[in-house]
């Protein structure tokens, strides 16, 4: 079933990999929101938190982005249901995912109020596309 899922979304996987390769080589950030607007996104820091988690630095992962843990739990439940129990994502998991998204947005607003633009990852990046186009127009 995993192989079938990978084959079903192969073009999305190829596009994402191509984006990351190009962004790593030619852009200053991998985050599309940072590149376009200069502002961090609600998920800003999740990749670094995931890397810290893989290195078993649990406190460091939490410090960078505390929502790494609920996301990992959701992905674990999703994987368990999909590939072990052969079931689709239930309404409970959908509701949990929606709650996590809402809480992440609230956490993002709190971080923007408290830490923007002094502390990374809540920093403004001046070399963004909107600023470039704004200068070109005016």
């Amino acid at each position: 079933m995993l192989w079938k899922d990978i084959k079903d979304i192969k073009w999305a996987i190829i596009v994402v990999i191509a984006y990351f390769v190009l962004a790593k080589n030619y852009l200053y950030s991998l985050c599309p929101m940072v590149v376009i607007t200069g502002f961090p996104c609600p998920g800003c820091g999740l990749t670094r938190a995931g890397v810290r988690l893989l290195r078993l630095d649990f406190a460091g992962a939490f410090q960078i982005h505390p929502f790494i843990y609920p996301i990992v739990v959701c992905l674990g439940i999703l994987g368990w249901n999909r590939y072990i129990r052969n079931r689709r994502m239930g309404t409970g998991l959908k509701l949990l995912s929606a709650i996590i998204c809402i809480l992440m947005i609230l956490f993002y607003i709190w971080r923007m109020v408290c830490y923007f633009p002094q502390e990374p990852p809540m920093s403004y990046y001046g070399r963004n596309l909107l600023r470039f186009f704004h200068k070109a127009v005016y």
Side-chain angles (χ1 to χ4, degrees), residues 28 38 124-128 131-132:
Y28 55 90
Y124 178 75
Y125 300 89
R127 296 177 12 221
N128 62 68
R131 187 170 179 181
F132 171 76

Side-chain angles (χ1 to χ4, degrees), residues 11-114:
W11 289 110
I13 293 170
I14 290 169
V15 168
V16 168
I17 290 171
Y19 171 79
F20 277 106
V21 168
L22 292 172
K24 184 166 178 17
N25 290 325
Y26 298 107
L27 301 174
Y28 55 90
S29 176
L30 294 176
C31 179
M33 186 166 166
V34 169
V35 171
I36 293 169
T37 68
F39 293 101
C41 68
C44 212
L46 277 173
T47 303
R48 283 172 280 158
V51 169
R52 291 246 177 131
L53 195 61
L54 289 173
R55 293 181 181 165
L56 304 179
D57 180 8
F58 302 112
F62 184 83
Q63 184 180 13
I64 291 175
H65 205 301
F67 280 89
I68 188 67
Y69 293 108
I71 289 171
V72 167
V73 167
C74 264
L75 289 174
I77 294 170
L78 178 67
W80 175 265
N81 281 338
R82 177 96 174 132
Y83 302 112
I84 306 294
R85 297 176 66 200
N86 290 327
R87 293 187 180 171
R88 294 202 169 267
M89 186 162 86
T91 54
L93 190 56
K94 288 179 185 177
L95 180 62
L96 180 62
S97 299
I99 290 170
I100 289 172
C101 287
I102 291 167
L103 291 174
M104 275 182 64
I105 291 169
L106 292 174
F107 180 68
Y108 170 73
I109 292 167
W110 176 80
R111 284 202 312 182
M112 289 296 280
V113 168
C114 294

